[in-house]
Amino acid sequence: MNNRVAARICTEYIPEQVYEQIRQIYRSCEGPDVKGKKVLLKPNILIDADPAKCISTHPVVVEAMAGFLISEGARVLIGDSPALHRNSFRGEKSGIADVCRRLGAEWVDFNKNPLDISLRRSRIKMARIIKDVDFIISLPKLKTHELVYLTGAVKNTLGLVPGFHKAKQHAIHYDRQRFAEFLVDLNEAVMPDFFLIDGIMGMEGPGPGQGMPVMTGVLLGSTNPAAVDILASEVAGYDPMDIPTTAVAVKRGLWLQDVSDVIYDGPDRELLKKKDFKRIPVTGNENIAFKFVKKRIPFIRKFDKRPVFIHSNCSGCGECISICSSNALTMHKSVKNHVIINDSRCIRCFCCAEVCQYHAVEIRRKVFGV
């Protein structure tokens, strides 16, 4: 597989500049020939929110990539499935619906009649459009992630799984290692043909939904998801092998054998690193005996990082309850805007924090109290 990754420093969402840098990246990494082909662009729209919040792929990046592909003779379709996917979803707040209208690109509803796909160990529902297009191009956003530390190319493929089928995977693959294995399985089965990471503005701190926008100043591209994730992790200051999806892919020898196998085109890699980037701390693997005890003694389990609800910030929207795949959350019957967590049911997937737009869920340790 092609291990080439191209990077270009880019600090502003100026359409002409972004377009030219995407063109260079695509050419450098030998992106697929799209002339006369039907191409699906898959951005990262976790929540339909203002682009300034850096929750989703910026619409300038989506439009520049779509415009480039159209200039190459492609027919472009655009689609994604957010964490909570309602039938009316079109990416309006994120600005991506406007991109579709300006370019005449078709928006694809991933919820319609999904396919059943075989993975290495299981089966899963995926958007039917994957069988109707010639190529898929993935547009991840460079963000931290409470569970897998960094959202990137491998993680963005999960958006091809429609609606609540995504949240269910957290209940099935209920810890960091199992979830990373599942994400790599997913890319083995349905891997996009090109990846362009929007790192012009990234997200640091408690991502992928409640972190802070940060200037990371880079666009990264490759046909190889592990290779481009290695560069993205370096930008954020992580050891690439601390990112569980990268570690799984390298261990399997899927897309490269070692992090040193990356063939790089771009400025000095040191220039790409964001020195003061606020990362999710890497916790490492727990002792097996401690895991055994923790599962059986509820108090010990409270030493885990867990969702902590800030009731004064809560709007009462209930989206955290809707997305919880383990039914661990309920709204208090008599106290307004007060979510209750059943700690014994919580699987620590942190989806509640991902979808909260009001900073009412923090992921931290809370030894005492509920």
Side-chain angles (χ1 to χ4, degrees), residues 189-216:
V190 181
M191 192 179 80
D193 302 279
F194 192 82
F195 303 86
L196 182 93
I197 296 181
D198 171 14
I200 299 173
M201 290 291 295
M203 177 181 283
E204 63 181 0
Q210 297 198 68
M212 296 77 70
V214 60
M215 169 69 72
T216 39

Side-chain angles (χ1 to χ4, degrees), residues 123-140:
R123 298 185 67 80
I124 193 169
K125 298 289 186 183
M126 297 195 76
R128 179 166 292 274
I129 190 63
I130 65 173
K131 294 296 185 183
D132 296 334
V133 294
D134 300 293
F135 297 113
I136 301 170
I137 292 183
S138 177
L139 304 176

Side-chain angles (χ1 to χ4, degrees), residues 244-369:
T245 49
T246 301
V248 170
V250 170
K251 183 178 178 181
R252 292 187 191 176
L254 279 179
W255 305 303
L256 36 67
Q257 302 296 316
D258 189 86
V259 295
S260 63
D261 292 342
V262 171
I263 300 168
Y264 176 67
D265 168 30
D268 187 328
R269 284 163 75 160
E270 286 297 317
L271 296 176
L272 302 183
K273 295 180 180 179
K274 181 72 176 176
K275 303 298 184 183
D276 55 351
F277 190 90
K278 295 179 177 63
R279 299 183 293 276
I280 305 292
V282 176
T283 57
N285 294 321
E286 293 176 343
N287 178 275
I288 293 174
F290 183 71
K291 279 187 174 182
F292 180 86
V293 172
K294 188 170 67 177
K295 286 180 179 179
R296 286 155 180 80
I297 304 177
F299 176 78
I300 296 294
R301 193 167 183 264
K302 288 183 182 292
F303 284 97
D304 273 346
K305 288 177 70 176
R306 55 172 290 196
V308 176
F309 287 83
I310 313 303
H311 305 301
S312 59
N313 291 349
C314 181
S315 71
C317 68
E319 293 201 342
C320 57
I321 297 170
S322 298
I323 202 170
C324 182
S325 59
S326 59
N327 297 315
L329 304 178
T330 54
M331 191 68 74
H332 198 289
K333 292 182 179 178
S334 57
V335 181
K336 186 179 179 181
N337 301 350
H338 189 105
V339 177
I340 299 170
I341 180 170
N342 183 327
D343 192 60
S344 64
R345 286 187 176 181
C346 177
I347 61 173
R348 309 300 197 252
C349 68
F350 311 135
C351 286
C352 52
E354 288 187 20
V355 300
C356 180
Q357 300 186 57
Y358 304 98
H359 298 281
V361 190
E362 293 182 359
I363 304 302
R364 56 181 170 86
R365 290 178 175 85
K366 184 181 180 185
V367 178
F368 300 103

Side-chain angles (χ1 to χ4, degrees), residues 143-201:
K143 301 189 292 180
T144 49
H145 194 284
E146 290 281 4
L147 187 60
V148 293
Y149 303 131
L150 196 73
T151 285
V154 173
K155 175 69 169 58
N156 196 44
T157 304
L158 183 60
L160 292 170
V161 177
F164 192 65
H165 296 288
K166 283 193 294 296
K168 283 170 55 179
Q169 302 311 310
H170 286 285
I172 297 168
H173 312 286
Y174 52 83
D175 64 21
R176 180 174 287 117
Q177 181 62 28
R178 288 180 175 86
F179 195 62
E181 295 271 0
F182 156 69
L183 290 173
V184 174
D185 290 350
L186 189 66
N187 279 268
E188 276 191 286
V190 181
M191 192 179 80
D193 302 279
F194 192 82
F195 303 86
L196 182 93
I197 296 181
D198 171 14
I200 299 173
M201 290 291 295

